[in-house]
Protein backbone atom coordinates (compact mmCIF):
# COMPACT_ATOMS: atom_id res chain seq x y z
CA UNK A 1 0.00 0.00 0.00
CA UNK A 2 2.73 2.48 0.93
CA UNK A 3 4.62 1.69 -2.27
CA UNK A 4 1.48 2.23 -4.37
CA UNK A 5 0.79 5.54 -2.67
CA UNK A 6 4.36 6.72 -3.10
CA UNK A 7 4.26 5.92 -6.82
CA UNK A 8 0.97 7.76 -7.19
CA UNK A 9 2.26 10.84 -5.38
CA UNK A 10 5.49 10.82 -7.39
CA UNK A 11 3.57 10.49 -10.65
CA UNK A 12 1.57 13.59 -9.76
CA UNK A 13 4.64 15.41 -8.41
CA UNK A 14 3.23 15.87 -4.93
CA UNK A 15 5.58 13.55 -3.06
CA UNK A 16 8.05 14.59 -0.36
CA UNK A 17 10.99 14.21 -2.73
CA UNK A 18 9.32 15.72 -5.80
CA UNK A 19 6.84 18.46 -4.90
CA UNK A 20 5.93 20.35 -8.06
CA UNK A 21 2.14 20.26 -7.93
CA UNK A 22 0.39 21.29 -11.15
CA UNK A 23 -2.02 23.42 -9.11
CA UNK A 24 0.65 25.29 -7.17
CA UNK A 25 0.44 28.48 -9.26
CA UNK A 26 -3.24 28.71 -8.41
CA UNK A 27 -2.85 27.81 -4.72
CA UNK A 28 0.27 29.74 -3.77
CA UNK A 29 -1.63 33.02 -3.38
CA UNK A 30 -3.28 31.48 -0.30
CA UNK A 31 -0.03 30.24 1.25
CA UNK A 32 2.29 31.82 3.76
CA UNK A 33 5.10 29.73 2.36
CA UNK A 34 5.49 26.71 0.11
CA UNK A 35 5.31 23.59 2.25
CA UNK A 36 6.03 20.09 1.08
CA UNK A 37 3.41 17.42 0.70
CA UNK A 38 2.18 15.75 3.89
CA UNK A 39 1.02 12.18 3.45
CA UNK A 40 -1.57 10.10 5.26
CA UNK A 41 -1.30 8.34 8.58
CA UNK A 42 -1.39 4.59 7.89
CA UNK A 43 -1.83 2.08 10.67
CA UNK A 44 0.16 -1.14 10.42
CA UNK A 45 -2.85 -3.36 11.19
CA UNK A 46 -4.98 -1.30 8.80
CA UNK A 47 -2.48 -2.15 6.05
CA UNK A 48 -2.67 -5.86 6.90
CA UNK A 49 -6.37 -5.81 5.96
CA UNK A 50 -7.32 -8.14 8.82
CA UNK A 51 -9.76 -5.67 10.46
CA UNK A 52 -12.56 -3.40 9.21
CA UNK A 53 -10.62 -0.68 7.42
CA UNK A 54 -11.60 2.62 9.01
CA UNK A 55 -10.45 5.67 7.00
CA UNK A 56 -10.92 9.30 8.01
CA UNK A 57 -10.82 12.01 5.34
CA UNK A 58 -10.39 15.44 6.87
CA UNK A 59 -9.58 18.94 5.63
CA UNK A 60 -5.96 20.14 5.44
CA UNK A 61 -2.79 19.22 7.38
CA UNK A 62 -2.65 22.53 9.25
CA UNK A 63 0.76 23.02 10.86
CA UNK A 64 1.32 19.45 12.01
CA UNK A 65 4.76 17.97 11.47
CA UNK A 66 5.06 14.67 9.65
CA UNK A 67 1.98 12.48 9.86
CA UNK A 68 1.68 12.40 13.66
CA UNK A 69 -1.56 13.59 15.32
CA UNK A 70 -1.55 17.11 16.64
CA UNK A 71 -3.18 18.44 19.80
CA UNK A 72 -4.76 15.77 22.03
CA UNK A 73 -6.93 18.09 24.12
CA UNK A 74 -10.43 16.56 24.54
CA UNK A 75 -11.98 19.23 22.31
CA UNK A 76 -9.45 18.76 19.50
CA UNK A 77 -9.84 17.13 16.11
CA UNK A 78 -7.29 14.43 16.86
CA UNK A 79 -8.59 13.49 20.28
CA UNK A 80 -12.11 13.00 18.94
CA UNK A 81 -10.84 11.01 15.97
CA UNK A 82 -8.84 8.71 18.24
CA UNK A 83 -11.75 8.41 20.66
CA UNK A 84 -14.01 7.25 17.82
CA UNK A 85 -11.49 4.54 16.86
CA UNK A 86 -11.16 3.50 20.51
CA UNK A 87 -14.93 3.31 20.98
CA UNK A 88 -15.40 1.28 17.78
CA UNK A 89 -12.96 -1.38 18.88
CA UNK A 90 -14.58 -1.42 22.31
CA UNK A 91 -17.76 -2.42 20.45
CA UNK A 92 -15.77 -5.26 18.89
CA UNK A 93 -14.77 -6.36 22.42
CA UNK A 94 -11.20 -5.30 21.83
CA UNK A 95 -9.90 -2.78 24.34
CA UNK A 96 -6.99 -0.87 22.80
CA UNK A 97 -6.04 1.00 25.97
CA UNK A 98 -7.58 2.68 28.99
CA UNK A 99 -9.81 5.57 27.88
CA UNK A 100 -7.81 8.02 29.99
CA UNK A 101 -4.67 7.12 28.00
CA UNK A 102 -6.02 8.62 24.77
CA UNK A 103 -4.26 11.86 25.73
CA UNK A 104 -0.92 10.03 26.10
CA UNK A 105 0.91 10.41 22.78
CA UNK A 106 3.17 7.41 23.40
CA UNK A 107 0.27 5.11 24.24
CA UNK A 108 -1.74 6.40 21.28
CA UNK A 109 1.15 5.70 18.90
CA UNK A 110 1.43 2.10 20.08
CA UNK A 111 -2.17 1.19 20.86
CA UNK A 112 -4.49 3.16 18.55
CA UNK A 113 -2.51 4.30 15.50
CA UNK A 114 -2.22 0.77 14.05
CA UNK A 115 -5.97 0.38 13.68
CA UNK A 116 -7.00 3.16 11.28
CA UNK A 117 -5.88 5.47 8.49
CA UNK A 118 -6.27 9.22 8.09
CA UNK A 119 -5.76 11.46 5.09
CA UNK A 120 -6.65 15.03 4.14
CA UNK A 121 -8.47 16.52 1.19
CA UNK A 122 -5.65 19.06 0.78
CA UNK A 123 -2.31 17.35 0.27
CA UNK A 124 0.13 20.07 1.32
CA UNK A 125 0.25 22.46 4.24
CA UNK A 126 -0.03 26.12 3.30
CA UNK A 127 0.91 27.17 6.85
CA UNK A 128 -1.42 30.16 6.90
CA UNK A 129 -2.81 29.54 10.39
CA UNK A 130 -6.38 28.88 9.29
CA UNK A 131 -8.43 26.59 7.07
CA UNK A 132 -7.28 27.04 3.48
CA UNK A 133 -9.38 28.75 0.82
CA UNK A 134 -12.12 26.75 -0.90
CA UNK A 135 -10.28 27.06 -4.23
CA UNK A 136 -7.41 24.98 -2.83
CA UNK A 137 -9.87 22.26 -1.80
CA UNK A 138 -11.42 22.34 -5.27
CA UNK A 139 -8.04 21.70 -6.89
CA UNK A 140 -6.66 19.18 -4.41
CA UNK A 141 -9.72 16.96 -4.30
CA UNK A 142 -8.80 15.78 -7.79
CA UNK A 143 -6.10 13.64 -6.15
CA UNK A 144 -8.51 11.92 -3.78
CA UNK A 145 -10.11 9.26 -5.99
CA UNK A 146 -6.96 7.31 -6.79
CA UNK A 147 -5.83 7.68 -3.19
CA UNK A 148 -9.08 6.15 -1.97
CA UNK A 149 -8.71 3.26 -4.39
CA UNK A 150 -5.30 2.47 -2.93
CA UNK A 151 -6.38 2.94 0.70
CA UNK A 152 -9.35 0.65 -0.02
CA UNK A 153 -11.52 1.28 3.08
CA UNK A 154 -14.71 -0.43 4.16
CA UNK A 155 -15.65 2.48 6.41
CA UNK A 156 -15.16 6.09 5.27
CA UNK A 157 -15.65 9.00 7.65
CA UNK A 158 -15.41 12.54 6.32
CA UNK A 159 -14.73 15.35 8.77
CA UNK A 160 -15.94 18.75 7.66
CA UNK A 161 -17.79 20.35 4.76
CA UNK A 162 -14.94 20.37 2.25
CA UNK A 163 -14.21 16.67 2.86
CA UNK A 164 -17.90 15.91 2.28
CA UNK A 165 -17.85 17.98 -0.92
CA UNK A 166 -14.83 16.03 -2.15
CA UNK A 167 -16.80 12.78 -2.01
CA UNK A 168 -19.82 14.36 -3.67
CA UNK A 169 -17.47 15.63 -6.38
CA UNK A 170 -16.46 12.02 -7.10
CA UNK A 171 -20.13 11.12 -7.44
CA UNK A 172 -20.71 14.00 -9.89
CA UNK A 173 -17.84 12.65 -11.99
CA UNK A 174 -19.33 9.15 -12.01
CA UNK A 175 -16.33 7.75 -10.14
CA UNK A 176 -18.39 6.33 -7.27
CA UNK A 177 -22.01 5.24 -7.13
CA UNK A 178 -24.53 5.75 -4.34
CA UNK A 179 -26.52 2.73 -3.16
CA UNK A 180 -28.64 4.32 -0.44
CA UNK A 181 -28.63 6.54 2.61
CA UNK A 182 -30.14 7.05 6.06
CA UNK A 183 -29.98 9.52 8.92
CA UNK A 184 -28.79 9.09 12.49
CA UNK A 185 -28.31 12.54 14.00
CA UNK A 186 -31.11 14.93 14.91
CA UNK A 187 -30.36 16.76 11.66
CA UNK A 188 -32.04 13.84 9.88
CA UNK A 189 -35.01 15.81 8.52
CA UNK A 190 -32.64 18.07 6.61
CA UNK A 191 -29.50 16.16 5.62
CA UNK A 192 -28.72 12.41 5.57
CA UNK A 193 -25.46 11.59 7.33
CA UNK A 194 -24.97 7.91 6.45
CA UNK A 195 -24.48 6.73 2.88
CA UNK A 196 -23.80 3.39 1.23
CA UNK A 197 -21.50 3.84 -1.75
CA UNK A 198 -19.60 1.65 -4.21
CA UNK A 199 -15.87 2.02 -4.79
CA UNK A 200 -13.36 -0.58 -6.00
CA UNK A 201 -16.34 -2.80 -6.82
CA UNK A 202 -17.26 -3.11 -3.17
CA UNK A 203 -19.80 -1.61 -0.81
CA UNK A 204 -18.54 1.09 1.55
CA UNK A 205 -20.22 2.81 4.46
CA UNK A 206 -19.69 6.58 4.34
CA UNK A 207 -20.50 8.63 7.44
CA UNK A 208 -20.51 12.43 7.32
CA UNK A 209 -19.22 14.12 10.47
CA UNK A 210 -18.87 17.76 11.34
CA UNK A 211 -15.26 18.69 11.88
CA UNK A 212 -14.41 18.85 15.62
CA UNK A 213 -13.16 22.43 15.19
CA UNK A 214 -16.80 23.43 14.60
CA UNK A 215 -17.51 23.04 18.29
CA UNK A 216 -21.20 23.83 18.36
CA UNK A 217 -22.21 21.67 15.40
CA UNK A 218 -19.77 18.86 16.15
CA UNK A 219 -20.95 18.34 19.73
CA UNK A 220 -24.64 18.78 18.84
CA UNK A 221 -24.85 16.71 15.66
CA UNK A 222 -21.82 14.38 15.69
CA UNK A 223 -20.14 13.67 19.03
CA UNK A 224 -23.31 12.85 20.95
CA UNK A 225 -24.20 10.27 18.27
CA UNK A 226 -20.90 8.36 18.35
CA UNK A 227 -22.57 5.23 19.86
CA UNK A 228 -25.22 5.13 17.11
CA UNK A 229 -22.64 5.63 14.35
CA UNK A 230 -20.49 2.87 15.80
CA UNK A 231 -23.46 0.50 15.98
CA UNK A 232 -24.17 1.29 12.33
CA UNK A 233 -20.55 0.45 11.43
CA UNK A 234 -20.74 -2.78 13.41
CA UNK A 235 -23.96 -3.89 11.70
CA UNK A 236 -22.65 -2.91 8.27
CA UNK A 237 -19.45 -4.88 8.80
CA UNK A 238 -21.33 -7.88 10.17
CA UNK A 239 -23.61 -7.94 7.11
CA UNK A 240 -20.99 -7.26 4.45
CA UNK A 241 -17.55 -8.26 5.83
CA UNK A 242 -18.26 -10.76 8.63
CA UNK A 243 -14.80 -12.33 8.51
CA UNK A 244 -13.32 -9.01 9.62
CA UNK A 245 -15.19 -9.19 12.90
CA UNK A 246 -13.29 -12.32 13.94
CA UNK A 247 -10.74 -10.40 15.94
Amino acid sequence: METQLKRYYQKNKISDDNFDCKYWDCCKRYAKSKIRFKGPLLGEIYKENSIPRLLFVSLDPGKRKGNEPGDLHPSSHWYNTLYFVWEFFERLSRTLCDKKQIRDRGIVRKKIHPYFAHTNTVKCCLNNGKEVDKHVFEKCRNFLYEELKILDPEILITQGKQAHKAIMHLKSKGLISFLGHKSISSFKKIVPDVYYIKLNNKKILWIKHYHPSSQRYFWTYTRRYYPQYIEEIYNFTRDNYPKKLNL
Side-chain angles (χ1 to χ4, degrees):
M1 180 178 288
E2 284 178 310
T3 301
Q4 286 179 285
L5 284 170
K6 185 174 182 179
R7 287 173 180 167
Y8 175 64
Y9 298 146
Q10 288 176 333
K11 178 182 177 182
N12 286 278
K13 297 184 178 181
I14 56 171
S15 64
D16 287 327
D17 55 357
N18 183 27
F19 190 89
D20 188 22
C21 179
K22 61 184 177 181
Y23 300 121
W24 178 247
D25 284 343
C26 173
C27 298
K28 65 183 179 183
R29 72 187 71 176
Y30 306 107
K32 205 174 224 185
S33 59
K34 184 173 180 179
I35 306 296
R36 286 187 174 184
F37 168 78
K38 291 189 177 182
L41 185 155
L42 292 175
E44 290 299 320
I45 298 175
Y46 179 97
K47 289 187 288 185
E48 291 173 3
N49 202 20
S50 59
I51 60 170
R53 278 183 166 171
L54 184 62
L55 171 65
F56 294 85
V57 177
S58 196
L59 303 179
D60 64 275
K63 293 184 178 181
R64 69 185 177 92
K65 296 180 180 179
N67 59 3
E68 290 290 313
D71 182 18
L72 293 182
H73 186 275
S75 65
S76 70
H77 161 213
W78 274 109
Y79 179 90
N80 285 287
T81 299
L82 294 164
Y83 187 84
F84 190 92
V85 177
W86 179 87
E87 202 165 87
F88 174 54
F89 281 94
E90 281 287 300
R91 177 63 181 86
L92 300 185
S93 300
R94 182 159 187 163
T95 299
L96 303 183
C97 64
D98 186 279
K99 183 165 64 173
K100 295 179 181 178
Q101 295 176 313
I102 298 175
R103 294 194 66 184
D104 185 316
R105 196 172 298 277
I107 296 294
V108 162
R109 187 178 297 113
K110 293 178 182 178
K111 302 292 187 179
I112 303 181
H113 279 196
Y115 289 90
F116 74 101
H118 179 286
T119 192
N120 287 294
T121 309
V122 171
K123 302 307 176 189
C124 65
C125 175
L126 302 184
N127 199 26
N128 60 5
K130 58 183 178 180
E131 183 178 309
V132 300
D133 189 89
K134 66 177 183 178
H135 295 95
V136 179
F137 284 104
E138 289 170 0
K139 297 298 182 182
C140 237
R141 68 190 181 191
N142 292 308
F143 297 121
L144 187 60
Y145 175 63
E146 292 298 332
E147 189 177 42
L148 289 178
K149 287 176 65 177
I150 296 169
L151 292 169
D152 195 28
E154 281 86 48
I155 313 300
L156 176 65
I157 298 176
T158 53
Q159 299 175 309
K161 181 173 68 175
Q162 293 297 342
H164 307 162
K165 284 185 174 182
I167 303 301
M168 296 303 293
H169 174 71
L170 300 182
K171 178 181 182 292
S172 71
K173 294 289 186 180
L175 298 174
I176 61 174
S177 55
F178 278 39
L179 307 175
H181 61 78
K182 65 187 295 185
S183 300
I184 287 179
S185 82
S186 59
F187 233 29
K188 62 184 179 180
K189 293 183 179 180
I190 303 174
V191 182
D193 53 359
V194 175
Y195 291 84
Y196 309 98
I197 64 176
K198 191 173 184 181
L199 174 70
N200 277 357
N201 284 319
K202 75 178 193 182
K203 193 174 183 180
I204 295 173
L205 176 65
W206 169 32
I207 298 177
K208 297 167 58 177
H209 280 181
Y210 281 95
H211 195 275
S213 64
S214 302
Q215 291 286 311
R216 176 185 172 189
Y217 290 100
F218 174 76
W219 286 95
T220 303
Y221 299 117
T222 295
R223 183 65 173 77
R224 65 186 291 192
Y225 294 99
Y226 268 17
Q228 291 94 318
Y229 288 128
I230 285 166
E231 196 63 27
E232 182 67 26
I233 293 174
Y234 179 86
N235 293 335
F236 174 83
T237 307
R238 180 197 61 201
D239 295 342
N240 294 276
Y241 305 100
K243 292 182 179 179
K244 290 201 169 187
L245 292 181
N246 297 326
L247 299 177

